[in-house]
């Protein structure tokens, strides 16, 4: 009778899995979670926050990837990144969608305190394209806090200096190529990533 419903009503949860609608009785977890369970919950919660923060072309890439897989873009992003999130590894932030990624993406501490220097090859494939960088803190081996975005502009010349970071703090650093300025982009590359401490 109902084509699609996904929510909790009373003691029943309605959802969808691989294109199939289903209902189940809601059961509240009891007892304290184990350390492993808590780590999984923490990783999932952090990825949900990351997904909500980065929208636009980032969401579009994941939604395009998920189209023929009976998934949502959100589900695809969580599934691809949950293991890395738990292990403290860089995320697969963007899926390839029509643009070539940066070649030889490397990051080193900058010359001044709070800086990171990003290098890459300036190839013909990224001529006329925009490059955007993101940082996120790595604290006690895991990602923490929000992403910060740095617009390199069109035809970004390496090395690109990211400044305003905490001196000596370790960061995940990401780079992505888009067809126009990030806020209006319709195409993006696979994201490149590395981990580096800001200059002390």
């Amino acid at each position: 009778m109902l084509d699609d419903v996904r929510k909790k009503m009373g003691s029943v949860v309605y959802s969808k899995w691989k294109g199939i609608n289903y209902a189940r009785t809601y059961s509240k977890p009891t007892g304290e979670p184990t350390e492993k369970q808590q780590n999984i919950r923490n990783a999932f919660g952090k990825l949900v926050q990351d997904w909500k923060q980065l929208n636009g072309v980032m969401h579009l890439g994941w939604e395009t990837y998920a189209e023929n897989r009976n998934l949502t873009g959100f589900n695809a992003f969580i599934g691809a990144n949950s293991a890395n999130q738990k292990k403290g590894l860089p995320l697969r932030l963007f899926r390839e969608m029509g643009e070539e990624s940066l070649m030889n993406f490397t990051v080193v501490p900058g010359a001044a305190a709070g800086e990171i220097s990003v290098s890459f090859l300036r190839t013909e494939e990224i001529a006329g394209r925009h490059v955007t960088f993101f940082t996120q803190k790595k604290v006690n081996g895991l990602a923490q806090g929000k992403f910060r975005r740095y617009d390199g502009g069109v035809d970004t010349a390496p090395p690109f200096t990211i400044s305003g970071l905490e001196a000596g703090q370790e960061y995940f650093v990401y780079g992505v190529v888009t067809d126009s300025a990030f806020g209006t982009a319709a195409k993006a590359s696979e994201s490149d990533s590395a981990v580096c401490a800001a200059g002390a």
Side-chain angles (χ1 to χ4, degrees):
M1 293 176 65
L2 294 176
D3 180 57
D4 188 18
V5 58
R6 280 177 257 191
K7 66 186 298 183
K8 178 177 174 286
M9 293 180 172
S11 62
V12 179
V13 177
Y14 297 90
S15 192
K16 193 170 197 172
W17 182 75
K18 292 192 175 182
I20 301 170
N21 294 316
Y22 72 93
R24 63 178 174 80
T25 303
Y26 173 74
S27 58
K28 188 174 182 178
T30 58
E32 290 295 319
T34 65
E35 183 178 352
K36 184 177 181 180
Q37 288 172 328
Q38 191 58 55
N39 289 340
I40 292 172
R41 292 180 189 179
N42 291 343
F44 180 81
K46 186 68 182 72
L47 288 173
V48 170
Q49 292 173 10
D50 291 344
W51 174 262
K52 288 179 178 178
Q53 184 190 352
L54 297 175
N55 46 34
V57 70
M58 180 268 198
H59 281 196
L60 184 60
W62 283 102
E63 287 160 3
T64 301
Y65 168 78
E67 275 179 359
N68 299 317
R69 292 174 168 81
N70 288 325
L71 293 168
T72 64
F74 169 76
N75 294 145
F77 173 77
I78 297 293
N81 286 302
S82 57
N84 281 7
Q85 183 69 34
K86 286 183 287 184
K87 295 175 182 177
L89 300 174
L91 303 180
R92 190 170 193 173
L93 210 53
F94 287 77
R95 297 290 313 206
E96 185 278 325
M97 192 177 59
E99 294 292 343
E100 293 290 326
S101 59
L102 297 169
M103 291 185 62
N104 294 4
F105 183 83
T106 56
V107 298
V108 296
E115 290 185 350
I116 287 177
S117 179
V118 185
S119 296
F120 53 91
L121 287 181
R122 199 174 181 184
T123 60
E124 291 182 6
E125 288 77 12
I126 65 170
R129 303 298 194 270
H130 287 250
V131 180
T132 304
F133 305 96
F134 298 86
T135 61
Q136 189 176 43
K137 287 183 182 179
K138 184 175 185 180
V139 180
N140 296 325
L142 298 173
Q144 185 181 90
K146 293 183 176 181
F147 288 98
R148 288 180 63 185
R149 190 179 82 203
Y150 309 83
D151 292 316
V154 65
D155 284 327
T156 309
F160 180 84
T161 299
I162 297 174
S163 58
L165 305 173
E166 290 182 26
Q169 171 66 53
E170 201 169 25
Y171 287 88
F172 294 102
V173 183
Y174 300 90
V176 64
V177 178
T178 55
D179 61 333
S180 64
F182 189 79
T184 60
K187 295 180 181 179
S189 70
E190 181 87 13
S191 52
D192 290 280
S193 60
V195 178
C196 183

